[in-house]
Amino acid sequence: MKRLLHVWAKHEKYVNVVLFAAAVVYPLIFTRQYLINVGILCLVYVLLSLSLNVLTGYMGITGLGWAGFFGIGAYTAAILSTKAGWNFILTFLAAMAVTGMFGLLIGMPTRKLSGRYVAIVTMAFCEICRALETNMDWLTRGSRGIPNIPRLELFGMKFNKQAQYYLILFLVLLAVIVMGRIVNSRIGRGVLAVKDDDIAASAMGVNPFSYKVMIFGVAASLAGLAGAFYAHYIGFIDPSNFTFDQSTIIISMTIMGGLGNPMGSVLGAVTLTVLPEILRPLMDVRQIVYGVMLIIMMIVRPQGILGGFNLKHIRQQDSVHKEVRNE
Amino acid sequence: MSNEVILRAKQVTQRFGGLCAVHNADLEVRKHEIVGIIGPNGAGKSTLFNNITGMYKPTEGQIYFHDMDITGKTPYEITKLGMARTFQNIRLFPTMTVLENVMLGVHSKTKANLLDVIFKTKRAKKEEEETLKKAEEILKLTGLYEARYNYATSLPYGYQRHLEFSRALASSPELLLFDEPAAGMNERETKELSDFIFKLRDMGYSILLIEHDMKLVMSICDRIYVLDHGEVIANGEPEEVRNNPDVIEAYLGKEE
């Protein structure tokens, strides 16, 4: 197991390329609509789980109401495309901007609150969003939902299933790259420092509050992007898509996959999306199987399957050992 | 030694409810000076330190860094101005490597913002390279270079203290504040520490430190402040302080 980790660390680039290639080839091999739909759903959840990982894995703030941001993104895109006729590129950007703003707003209480209290704030936020979506009838059509959201199209060409799959794959890739750059930078170090010890961080010149707010904004806007794609892809949204249950699914993916590791989010999201589909024949029993698996996970590896690994650190440590051996 | 005062605390008072932890304390640190704060446990040394570094805002009084009033500024603003501290109970970042801990120290002197980082601008790249270079230089100075990729808290205790010094140095401060730097060190390590502090002074830093190890304080400090019950009861050169009757009384009690 440990050997495997070192091998992975050494060849991380190739592993990533192979995984990405597999994701590219998938809809070409499995051309059944159902399988492509499952693939798209996986990638939507990967994006959501990644975005939550930014907040929970790197910043150490548990986001319990992630579906709230998902919903804001979806509703922003749905309203702008049905009422104002905006193209999806514009609705995507608008959804990111709007959810980002809400992220910054929800980040504000971190000035006074910490840990689990912030988690409660995010949970309440999700409920407030759902209540507003249900009751602001003039804007959201309440529980009747918004139907006929324009499908994705560019220059008059409608996206087929494959094209939609590639679009969300591209968005996930973008999110992974952006996350990687943030983590391996001055800002990423600031974020980790605040997570580890915010008093020491502030003594070293990092403003913990502004980092928390900023990361809330970044994470939320990625969730908003996932929401915007989802709205255009599915064509109909109503408040029942963005409940606390949805939030629970997203955070299960992030935590089970592994906190602070982008590959963890991919693994968590894909597993927890595909598993219920595979277990479909078991009908009612599948919820039990699902629950038991989560409990086993929590006992065996509470930090998540890929949690607590930093491949870059492993690589660096290995390089030193090699130098020592060569001398 | 120049006479330019870089840090001045004026009539600083810190109350916690009914408890007066620091009372009308005056303190000065001049350029290239090593100044010690001593006093029995609970005398208010660490509180005064926290007042200076912005962890607590003093109830009364002012603190000046050069001629700037820094009373009530936040710790990160103060660090940016050129003061860096270490902690009595070591506070390193456990999920970061030794190198990353020191690189974080450079944080206050770098500027790359979120967009620089996402689009990998020239400025961000150049800054990152400079940060790495600086961190490596410091680690070579403090003798931790070999261990740079280890996790900070996996180091032995003595090295963890060295890492705290390294991290503080990385912020290019003018004034270093050490809170009990020799705590938990044996005699040999303490000797090394005093050499290290002299070296820092020769490199142009000014140093303010809290210390319980009398031998160390008496041998390295240019001037010493003695705190008791939150008040400065004596200050001066080590020899003066050592013979001051008030100080002897505070430490040993009154002669009958």
Side-chain angles (χ1 to χ4, degrees):
Chain A
M1 184 65 203
K2 217 168 175 189
R3 275 275 292 284
L4 198 67
L5 204 58
H6 286 263
V7 173
W8 183 22
K10 195 175 166 195
H11 303 291
E12 192 191 358
K13 266 196 187 135
Y14 300 106
V15 173
N16 289 348
V17 168
V18 169
L19 281 176
F20 185 68
V24 169
V25 174
Y26 173 81
L28 301 175
I29 298 173
F30 302 98
T31 48
R32 270 177 58 204
Q33 295 283 302
Y34 164 72
L35 288 176
I36 297 181
N37 280 330
V38 171
I40 292 175
L41 202 59
C42 276
L43 289 169
V44 170
Y45 276 119
V46 168
L47 190 52
L48 282 169
S49 171
L50 275 173
S51 67
L52 182 57
N53 209 342
V54 174
L55 184 75
T56 305
Y58 292 98
M59 192 75 258
I61 297 173
T62 311
L64 282 180
W66 215 234
F69 294 109
F70 183 42
I72 291 176
Y75 268 95
T76 306
I79 291 165
L80 286 174
S81 60
T82 52
K83 296 209 168 156
W86 287 22
N87 179 274
F88 81 89
I89 298 179
L90 293 175
T91 60
F92 279 15
L93 291 174
M96 286 181 76
V98 172
T99 13
M101 296 293 273
F102 274 99
L104 297 179
L105 195 71
I106 297 304
M108 292 296 164
T110 56
R111 185 176 209 104
K112 296 273 178 213
L113 301 180
S114 63
R116 62 199 79 168
Y117 301 102
V118 178
I120 302 288
V121 169
T122 64
M123 200 167 128
F125 170 72
C126 180
E127 278 308 301
I128 292 169
C129 286
R130 201 184 51 80
L132 288 179
E133 284 154 12
T134 315
N135 292 307
M136 285 167 72
D137 211 65
W138 56 275
L139 189 65
T140 63
R141 292 174 38 93
S143 48
R144 285 167 296 155
I146 300 181
N148 302 322
I149 302 165
R151 295 298 158 103
L152 298 158
E153 72 171 58
L154 201 57
F155 310 123
M157 301 253 289
K158 287 217 183 300
F159 279 50
N160 62 10
K161 276 274 142 57
Q162 259 108 346
Q164 294 182 21
Y165 175 92
Y166 286 125
L167 178 63
I168 182 74
L169 182 61
F170 173 70
L171 296 179
V172 168
L173 182 68
L174 225 55
V176 171
I177 291 173
V178 167
M179 263 174 77
R181 287 189 175 178
I182 294 177
V183 171
N184 291 308
S185 74
R186 161 181 195 269
I187 293 183
R189 282 192 297 274
V191 168
L192 280 186
V194 172
K195 183 189 81 173
D196 279 355
D197 185 339
D198 57 353
I199 290 176
S202 85
M204 290 327 301
V206 183
N207 178 347
F209 173 63
S210 73
Y211 270 79
K212 286 178 188 166
V213 172
M214 178 170 77
I215 289 301
F216 246 110
V218 171
S221 71
L222 285 176
L225 181 62
F229 174 86
Y230 180 77
H232 284 287
Y233 157 71
I234 211 87
F236 169 80
I237 54 167
D238 70 0
S240 72
N241 292 321
F242 312 111
T243 55
F244 184 66
D245 283 352
Q246 184 76 278
S247 302
T248 314
I249 292 173
I250 302 169
I251 199 159
S252 311
M253 290 170 172
T254 307
I255 292 178
M256 194 192 99
L259 291 174
N261 188 335
M263 278 303 146
S265 290
V266 174
L267 183 71
V270 172
T271 320
L272 290 188
T273 316
V274 172
L275 203 66
E277 297 295 329
I278 294 173
L279 296 178
R280 213 171 264 280
L282 294 176
M283 301 292 286
D284 293 347
V285 189
R286 80 176 166 158
Q287 291 297 332
I288 299 173
V289 175
Y290 189 83
V292 169
M293 284 185 61
L294 277 182
I295 291 171
I296 293 173
M297 264 304 301
M298 275 186 275
I299 295 166
V300 180
R301 264 194 85 78
Q303 70 273 52
I305 300 173
L306 300 178
F309 297 145
N310 187 324
L311 295 177
K312 188 176 154 201
H313 291 166
I314 295 175
R315 230 172 5 250
Q316 287 175 335
Q317 282 153 12
D318 285 350
S319 75
V320 171
H321 290 161
K322 214 166 166 188
E323 266 171 43
V324 172
R325 246 178 282 143
N326 287 348
E327 270 161 18
Chain B
M1 195 187 296
S2 78
N3 277 325
E4 190 193 340
V5 175
I6 62 171
L7 178 78
R8 169 177 286 139
K10 237 169 111 180
Q11 298 286 300
V12 170
T13 298
Q14 174 74 56
R15 289 198 189 89
F16 298 110
L19 180 82
C20 190
V22 177
H23 189 237
N24 287 344
D26 285 309
L27 180 146
E28 270 181 17
V29 180
R30 297 189 200 110
K31 219 175 173 119
H32 305 309
E33 230 183 355
I34 301 175
V35 177
I37 304 177
I38 61 171
N41 286 326
K45 305 181 296 288
S46 285
T47 307
L48 183 57
F49 236 55
N50 286 334
N51 283 143
I52 293 169
T53 51
M55 299 274 161
Y56 303 144
K57 184 178 189 253
T59 323
E60 284 162 41
Q62 275 83 38
I63 294 157
Y64 297 91
F65 186 58
H66 289 287
D67 289 324
M68 186 195 263
D69 187 352
I70 59 164
T71 324
K73 279 198 189 298
T74 57
Y76 48 88
E77 287 167 330
I78 290 174
T79 306
K80 210 166 196 164
L81 292 173
M83 247 194 247
R85 71 169 296 173
T86 66
F87 293 88
Q88 185 179 353
N89 46 339
I90 300 174
R91 298 187 93 128
L92 295 166
F93 305 116
T95 63
M96 295 164 78
T97 61
V98 168
L99 181 65
E100 285 168 344
N101 266 271
V102 180
M103 283 171 88
L104 183 91
V106 191
H107 200 276
S108 63
K109 293 293 184 287
T110 48
K111 291 193 185 69
N113 59 30
L114 189 61
L115 292 178
D116 284 326
V117 163
I118 291 175
F119 295 109
K120 263 201 179 167
T121 59
K122 256 191 193 140
R123 180 168 91 160
K125 260 183 172 163
K126 197 172 149 240
E127 243 183 32
E128 190 69 9
E129 280 165 24
E130 284 166 3
T131 303
L132 180 66
K133 216 175 112 200
K134 182 161 185 193
E136 286 180 340
E137 268 169 27
I138 290 172
L139 285 172
K140 280 174 186 162
L141 175 80
T142 51
L144 289 174
Y145 184 72
E146 299 301 315
R148 65 194 181 283
Y149 296 138
N150 289 39
Y151 284 109
T153 42
S154 74
L155 296 180
Y157 181 82
Y159 287 135
Q160 290 193 24
R161 283 226 172 266
H162 286 219
L163 182 52
E164 268 216 329
F165 299 141
S166 314
R167 193 176 64 182
L169 285 173
S171 68
S172 316
E174 251 183 286
L175 177 64
L176 287 160
L177 297 103
F178 296 150
D179 197 346
E180 296 201 20
M185 285 190 174
N186 64 30
E187 208 158 314
R188 189 177 56 82
E189 286 167 334
T190 309
K191 176 74 183 62
E192 280 170 10
L193 176 70
S194 70
D195 292 343
F196 179 66
I197 292 176
F198 278 132
K199 194 160 141 196
L200 290 178
R201 198 254 299 272
D202 293 340
M203 288 167 69
Y205 297 100
S206 316
I207 293 149
L208 177 65
L209 54 90
I210 293 176
E211 190 46 71
H212 272 304
D213 187 322
M214 281 304 144
K215 222 167 105 190
L216 179 72
V217 177
M218 292 295 166
S219 66
I220 64 170
C221 291
D222 298 312
R223 283 185 310 117
I224 292 171
Y225 287 85
V226 188
L227 250 68
D228 188 31
H229 298 296
E231 296 193 38
V232 176
I233 56 168
N235 81 81
E237 286 172 21
E239 210 47 45
E240 292 173 51
V241 167
R242 197 201 306 260
N243 299 324
N244 185 312
D246 289 338
V247 176
I248 296 167
E249 188 190 316
Y251 269 91
L252 300 175
K254 209 171 178 168
E255 227 170 319
E256 288 298 318

